[in-house]
Amino acid sequence: MGKNKWLSLLLGFVFALAILAGCSSSGGTEQEPTFTYAMSGQYRPFNYFDENNQLTGFDVEIGRALAEKMGMKPVPIATPWEGLISGLKAKKYDAILGSMTITPERQKQVDFSDPYYVSGPQLFVRNDSNIKDIQDIKDNTPVGVLISSVYDQEGRKYTKNIKNYTSDVTALQDLARGRVEAVITDRFVGTIAAREQKLDIRPVGDLLFVENVGIAFRKGDPLREKVNQALEEIKADGTYLAISKKYFGTDISK
Protein backbone atom coordinates (compact mmCIF):
# COMPACT_ATOMS: atom_id res chain seq x y z
CA MET A 1 0.00 0.00 0.00
CA GLY A 2 1.42 3.37 -0.99
CA LYS A 3 2.25 6.27 1.28
CA ASN A 4 -0.63 8.39 -0.05
CA LYS A 5 -3.07 5.54 0.57
CA TRP A 6 -1.94 5.24 4.21
CA LEU A 7 -2.26 8.99 4.70
CA SER A 8 -5.77 8.96 3.23
CA LEU A 9 -6.88 6.15 5.56
CA LEU A 10 -5.37 7.88 8.59
CA LEU A 11 -7.11 11.17 7.80
CA GLY A 12 -10.40 9.33 7.29
CA PHE A 13 -10.02 7.63 10.67
CA VAL A 14 -9.28 10.92 12.44
CA PHE A 15 -12.23 12.57 10.71
CA ALA A 16 -14.56 9.76 11.86
CA LEU A 17 -13.36 10.10 15.45
CA ALA A 18 -13.99 13.83 15.32
CA ILE A 19 -17.56 13.25 14.14
CA LEU A 20 -18.21 10.75 16.95
CA ALA A 21 -16.77 13.11 19.53
CA GLY A 22 -18.97 15.90 18.23
CA CYS A 23 -22.08 13.73 18.47
CA SER A 24 -21.19 12.75 22.00
CA SER A 25 -20.67 16.34 23.17
CA SER A 26 -23.85 17.66 21.54
CA GLY A 27 -26.31 14.85 22.31
CA GLY A 28 -24.83 12.91 25.23
CA THR A 29 -25.85 15.13 28.14
CA GLU A 30 -25.82 13.62 31.60
CA GLN A 31 -29.07 12.01 32.65
CA GLU A 32 -31.07 14.14 35.08
CA PRO A 33 -31.07 12.57 38.58
CA THR A 34 -34.47 11.40 39.77
CA PHE A 35 -36.34 11.82 43.04
CA THR A 36 -38.65 8.82 43.38
CA TYR A 37 -41.22 9.14 46.13
CA ALA A 38 -43.98 6.72 47.10
CA MET A 39 -47.54 7.00 48.41
CA SER A 40 -50.69 4.88 48.48
CA GLY A 41 -52.57 6.80 45.78
CA GLN A 42 -55.72 6.20 47.85
CA TYR A 43 -55.72 9.27 50.09
CA ARG A 44 -57.59 12.06 48.38
CA PRO A 45 -56.83 15.01 48.32
CA PHE A 46 -53.27 14.26 49.45
CA ASN A 47 -52.55 11.60 46.81
CA TYR A 48 -54.97 9.97 44.39
CA PHE A 49 -55.62 9.12 40.75
CA ASP A 50 -57.60 11.69 38.77
CA GLU A 51 -60.13 11.03 36.01
CA ASN A 52 -57.25 10.57 33.54
CA ASN A 53 -55.66 7.96 35.81
CA GLN A 54 -52.80 10.33 36.64
CA LEU A 55 -51.35 10.28 40.15
CA THR A 56 -51.96 13.72 41.64
CA GLY A 57 -52.73 15.59 44.85
CA PHE A 58 -51.02 17.67 47.51
CA ASP A 59 -48.25 15.12 48.18
CA VAL A 60 -47.52 14.72 44.47
CA GLU A 61 -47.18 18.47 43.93
CA ILE A 62 -45.06 18.99 47.04
CA GLY A 63 -42.72 16.25 45.81
CA ARG A 64 -42.54 17.92 42.41
CA ALA A 65 -41.66 21.28 43.98
CA LEU A 66 -38.98 19.70 46.18
CA ALA A 67 -37.44 17.88 43.21
CA GLU A 68 -37.29 21.12 41.22
CA LYS A 69 -35.42 22.84 44.06
CA MET A 70 -32.95 19.95 44.22
CA GLY A 71 -32.42 19.89 40.45
CA MET A 72 -33.96 16.45 40.15
CA LYS A 73 -36.73 14.86 38.09
CA PRO A 74 -39.83 14.02 40.19
CA VAL A 75 -41.14 10.46 39.91
CA PRO A 76 -44.19 9.78 42.13
CA ILE A 77 -45.04 6.12 42.68
CA ALA A 78 -48.21 4.49 44.04
CA THR A 79 -47.90 1.35 46.14
CA PRO A 80 -50.10 -0.23 48.85
CA TRP A 81 -49.90 1.64 52.16
CA GLU A 82 -48.96 -1.39 54.24
CA GLY A 83 -45.91 -2.05 52.04
CA LEU A 84 -44.51 1.50 51.91
CA ILE A 85 -41.77 1.12 54.53
CA SER A 86 -40.65 -2.32 53.33
CA GLY A 87 -40.45 -0.96 49.77
CA LEU A 88 -38.33 1.95 50.96
CA LYS A 89 -35.93 -0.38 52.77
CA ALA A 90 -35.70 -2.50 49.62
CA LYS A 91 -34.64 0.63 47.69
CA LYS A 92 -37.63 0.58 45.36
CA TYR A 93 -37.83 4.38 45.75
CA ASP A 94 -35.94 7.19 47.47
CA ALA A 95 -38.57 8.37 49.93
CA ILE A 96 -42.11 8.00 51.22
CA LEU A 97 -43.98 11.24 50.60
CA GLY A 98 -47.45 9.93 51.33
CA SER A 99 -48.89 11.60 54.44
CA MET A 100 -47.06 9.37 56.91
CA THR A 101 -47.30 10.45 60.55
CA ILE A 102 -44.03 10.65 62.45
CA THR A 103 -44.18 8.12 65.31
CA PRO A 104 -41.52 6.65 67.64
CA GLU A 105 -42.21 3.16 66.23
CA ARG A 106 -41.64 4.29 62.65
CA GLN A 107 -38.55 6.26 63.63
CA LYS A 108 -36.93 2.98 64.61
CA GLN A 109 -37.16 1.89 60.97
CA VAL A 110 -36.76 5.10 58.95
CA ASP A 111 -35.50 8.68 59.21
CA PHE A 112 -38.05 11.47 58.81
CA SER A 113 -37.74 14.94 57.35
CA ASP A 114 -38.96 17.97 59.23
CA PRO A 115 -42.79 17.89 59.30
CA TYR A 116 -44.24 19.08 55.99
CA TYR A 117 -47.76 19.45 57.31
CA VAL A 118 -49.73 19.23 60.55
CA SER A 119 -53.15 17.64 60.85
CA GLY A 120 -55.04 15.20 63.04
CA PRO A 121 -57.57 12.38 63.08
CA GLN A 122 -61.27 13.07 63.41
CA LEU A 123 -64.16 10.76 64.18
CA PHE A 124 -66.78 10.67 61.41
CA VAL A 125 -70.30 9.26 61.77
CA ARG A 126 -73.52 9.25 59.73
CA ASN A 127 -75.73 12.30 60.03
CA ASP A 128 -78.42 10.31 61.87
CA SER A 129 -75.97 8.83 64.40
CA ASN A 130 -76.26 9.43 68.16
CA ILE A 131 -72.47 9.29 68.52
CA LYS A 132 -71.25 12.74 69.61
CA ASP A 133 -67.56 12.06 70.23
CA ILE A 134 -65.01 9.28 70.66
CA GLN A 135 -66.20 8.56 74.22
CA ASP A 136 -69.49 7.28 72.78
CA ILE A 137 -67.66 4.45 70.99
CA LYS A 138 -68.37 1.18 72.78
CA ASP A 139 -66.37 -2.02 73.01
CA ASN A 140 -68.34 -3.60 70.15
CA THR A 141 -68.94 -0.52 67.96
CA PRO A 142 -67.73 -1.26 64.40
CA VAL A 143 -65.17 1.39 63.44
CA GLY A 144 -63.42 1.65 60.07
CA VAL A 145 -59.73 2.62 59.86
CA LEU A 146 -56.84 2.47 57.41
CA ILE A 147 -54.83 -0.72 57.85
CA SER A 148 -51.39 -0.39 59.50
CA SER A 149 -52.03 3.24 60.40
CA VAL A 150 -51.96 5.37 63.54
CA TYR A 151 -55.76 5.50 63.18
CA ASP A 152 -55.88 1.72 63.56
CA GLN A 153 -53.89 1.99 66.80
CA GLU A 154 -56.13 4.81 68.06
CA GLY A 155 -59.36 2.99 67.25
CA ARG A 156 -58.31 -0.11 69.20
CA LYS A 157 -58.21 1.99 72.37
CA TYR A 158 -62.00 2.29 72.19
CA THR A 159 -63.36 -0.81 70.44
CA LYS A 160 -62.43 -4.39 69.62
CA ASN A 161 -64.60 -4.25 66.50
CA ILE A 162 -62.12 -2.69 64.07
CA LYS A 163 -62.61 -3.05 60.32
CA ASN A 164 -59.48 -2.44 58.26
CA TYR A 165 -59.43 -0.76 54.85
CA THR A 166 -56.75 -0.12 52.27
CA SER A 167 -58.32 3.28 51.54
CA ASP A 168 -59.76 5.87 53.93
CA VAL A 169 -62.22 6.97 51.25
CA THR A 170 -63.58 3.42 50.91
CA ALA A 171 -64.05 3.33 54.69
CA LEU A 172 -66.02 6.60 54.55
CA GLN A 173 -68.19 5.24 51.75
CA ASP A 174 -68.92 2.14 53.84
CA LEU A 175 -69.81 4.43 56.74
CA ALA A 176 -72.39 6.20 54.59
CA ARG A 177 -73.78 2.79 53.53
CA GLY A 178 -74.14 1.68 57.16
CA ARG A 179 -71.47 -1.02 57.08
CA VAL A 180 -69.62 0.56 60.01
CA GLU A 181 -70.81 2.98 62.70
CA ALA A 182 -67.84 5.34 62.61
CA VAL A 183 -64.56 6.03 60.81
CA ILE A 184 -61.37 7.57 62.13
CA THR A 185 -59.46 9.44 59.45
CA ASP A 186 -57.65 12.68 58.77
CA ARG A 187 -59.87 15.72 59.24
CA PHE A 188 -59.20 17.02 55.71
CA VAL A 189 -59.66 13.64 54.02
CA GLY A 190 -63.02 13.07 55.72
CA THR A 191 -64.40 16.56 55.20
CA ILE A 192 -63.43 16.76 51.53
CA ALA A 193 -64.68 13.23 50.77
CA ALA A 194 -68.04 14.03 52.41
CA ARG A 195 -68.39 17.22 50.36
CA GLU A 196 -67.18 15.97 46.99
CA GLN A 197 -69.00 12.63 47.10
CA LYS A 198 -72.08 13.99 48.90
CA LEU A 199 -71.75 11.36 51.62
CA ASP A 200 -74.31 11.47 54.42
CA ILE A 201 -71.65 11.76 57.13
CA ARG A 202 -70.25 14.42 59.47
CA PRO A 203 -67.29 14.97 61.81
CA VAL A 204 -67.92 14.88 65.58
CA GLY A 205 -65.86 15.85 68.60
CA ASP A 206 -62.39 17.32 68.72
CA LEU A 207 -59.28 16.09 66.94
CA LEU A 208 -58.14 12.90 68.66
CA PHE A 209 -54.55 14.15 68.60
CA VAL A 210 -52.26 16.36 66.51
CA GLU A 211 -50.17 14.68 63.82
CA ASN A 212 -46.81 15.85 62.53
CA VAL A 213 -46.45 14.39 59.06
CA GLY A 214 -43.02 13.82 57.53
CA ILE A 215 -41.18 12.41 54.53
CA ALA A 216 -39.51 9.07 55.27
CA PHE A 217 -36.01 8.02 54.15
CA ARG A 218 -33.76 5.04 54.65
CA LYS A 219 -31.68 5.28 57.81
CA GLY A 220 -28.68 7.57 57.34
CA ASP A 221 -29.63 8.69 53.82
CA PRO A 222 -28.07 12.15 53.15
CA LEU A 223 -30.99 12.93 50.83
CA ARG A 224 -32.97 13.76 53.97
CA GLU A 225 -30.95 16.95 54.56
CA LYS A 226 -31.29 18.01 50.92
CA VAL A 227 -35.04 17.60 51.14
CA ASN A 228 -35.20 19.54 54.42
CA GLN A 229 -33.35 22.41 52.75
CA ALA A 230 -35.64 22.30 49.73
CA LEU A 231 -38.67 22.26 52.04
CA GLU A 232 -37.47 25.45 53.71
CA GLU A 233 -37.00 27.05 50.30
CA ILE A 234 -40.46 26.24 48.94
CA LYS A 235 -42.00 27.60 52.13
CA ALA A 236 -39.94 30.79 51.89
CA ASP A 237 -40.71 31.53 48.23
CA GLY A 238 -44.48 30.93 48.49
CA THR A 239 -44.58 27.68 46.49
CA TYR A 240 -45.74 25.62 49.47
CA LEU A 241 -48.50 28.07 50.38
CA ALA A 242 -49.83 28.12 46.82
CA ILE A 243 -50.07 24.31 46.72
CA SER A 244 -51.64 24.16 50.19
CA LYS A 245 -54.28 26.77 49.33
CA LYS A 246 -55.06 24.97 46.06
CA TYR A 247 -56.13 21.83 47.92
CA PHE A 248 -57.26 23.10 51.34
CA GLY A 249 -57.77 26.84 51.12
CA THR A 250 -55.33 27.38 53.96
CA ASP A 251 -51.73 26.81 55.11
CA ILE A 252 -51.55 23.30 56.60
CA SER A 253 -47.87 23.51 57.52
CA LYS A 254 -48.71 24.70 61.05
Side-chain angles (χ1 to χ4, degrees), residues 220-234:
D221 191 340
L223 181 60
R224 173 181 175 272
E225 292 308 317
K226 289 183 66 176
V227 167
N228 274 340
Q229 180 60 41
L231 183 58
E232 287 184 15
E233 292 176 9
I234 66 171

Side-chain angles (χ1 to χ4, degrees), residues 73-92:
K73 178 182 178 181
V75 182
I77 296 170
T79 195
W81 172 266
E82 59 270 27
L84 281 171
I85 289 180
S86 59
L88 178 65
K89 288 181 172 181
K91 299 184 178 181
K92 293 181 179 179

